[in-house]
Amino acid sequence: MQTTAWGGPAASGAIPSDDLGIAAVSPLEAVAAALGVINIVLLIRRSIWNYAFGLAMVILYAPVFFEQRLYSDALLQLFFVAVQLYGWWAWRRSAGRMGDILVERLDWRGRMLWTLVGALAWLAWSSGMRHFTDAVNPYWDGAVAAMSVTAQALQAKRLIETWPLWVAVDLVAIPLYWSRDLKVTTLLYVLFLLMSLWGWRAWLRAERATT
């Protein structure tokens, strides 16, 4: 989770395009992207301070997505404020003796349940966006939102399944944001994809170290 290349309104305070036609970049988008990188690095390291940077990132991204009529993503950022605060509280309670955050995993029933709930939420939410708003790509945008909500909830519970789901989010979000000419955010999600693979591997190693 800017320009007028696709006919959408330019973000407030956007840096104008240069003579070579390079897309304008919103300072708000750029700062949010930088905070997102710090957030993921700290998350991979299982540092509870990832939530501080995560909160700042989602607050800044809400208006960015709203201006591009990606309403599911915009509302998602507001939801993330609450989830980030919950995750911060939950991680503080679950820290090990040395302050380490211990990771866990779902059983197959849990995975099936989370998958079913996420799929139903995606269909219901996207249908509402399609019928009651002028949202762009409501089902595509809704898929990013539904998977992100699920991944964030799994992250708050320190479940290792958060990482493959974040990988899926990134793979869906990259072409969506590119289609809306959110170039900085697209590059951010390419980086997120690589970092999610790194995080998945790091949490697997942390899990093995505690068993």
Side-chain angles (χ1 to χ4, degrees):
M1 70 251 151
Q2 300 321 111
T3 71
T4 57
W6 282 75
S12 173
I15 299 171
S17 303
D18 62 21
D19 293 337
L20 296 177
I22 298 175
V25 176
S26 162
L28 204 61
E29 182 189 0
V31 172
L35 291 170
V37 172
I38 298 171
N39 168 238
I40 298 299
V41 170
L42 292 174
L43 176 60
I44 292 170
R45 297 175 63 86
R46 292 176 290 137
S47 167
I48 198 170
W49 290 105
N50 83 86
Y51 285 105
F53 289 91
L55 274 170
M57 176 186 69
V58 299
I59 289 170
L60 294 182
Y61 256 125
V64 172
F65 289 131
F66 186 82
E67 290 190 26
Q68 286 294 329
R69 290 188 294 140
L70 295 172
Y71 300 136
S72 293
D73 272 317
L75 290 172
L76 177 66
Q77 307 312 304
L78 302 181
F79 170 83
F80 275 169
V81 170
V83 177
Q84 294 274 350
L85 290 172
Y86 167 74
W88 201 338
W89 172 80
W91 278 38
R92 282 178 60 89
R93 290 191 63 193
S94 64
R97 292 181 181 178
M98 303 302 292
D100 294 332
I101 302 300
L102 306 177
V103 299
E104 300 177 6
R105 66 169 61 235
L106 291 168
D107 57 20
W108 70 270
R109 290 185 181 85
R111 291 172 192 160
M112 292 295 292
L113 179 61
W114 279 97
T115 300
L116 178 60
V117 171
L120 291 175
W122 165 55
L123 291 173
W125 181 265
S126 298
S127 295
M129 284 290 168
R130 179 173 178 266
H131 288 97
F132 300 114
T133 76
D134 62 343
V136 176
N137 298 317
Y139 285 94
W140 197 356
D141 186 27
V144 173
M147 288 193 295
S148 296
V149 166
T150 307
Q152 189 73 55
L154 295 176
Q155 176 185 315
K157 293 179 177 294
R158 299 167 289 106
L159 293 166
I160 206 164
E161 286 82 3
T162 188
W163 289 111
L165 195 51
W166 280 126
V167 169
V169 170
D170 299 334
L171 291 173
V172 174
I174 288 168
L176 173 63
Y177 297 151
W178 182 265
S179 75
R180 297 305 298 161
D181 217 19
L182 294 169
K183 299 295 173 57
V184 171
T185 302
T186 300
L187 293 175
L188 174 66
Y189 272 73
V190 171
L191 181 59
F192 277 176
L193 175 59
L194 299 175
M195 296 175 76
S196 293
L197 294 170
W198 173 26
W200 192 355
R201 181 173 179 269
W203 278 35
L204 284 170
R205 293 177 63 183
E207 179 190 40
R208 287 195 294 268
T210 57
T211 56

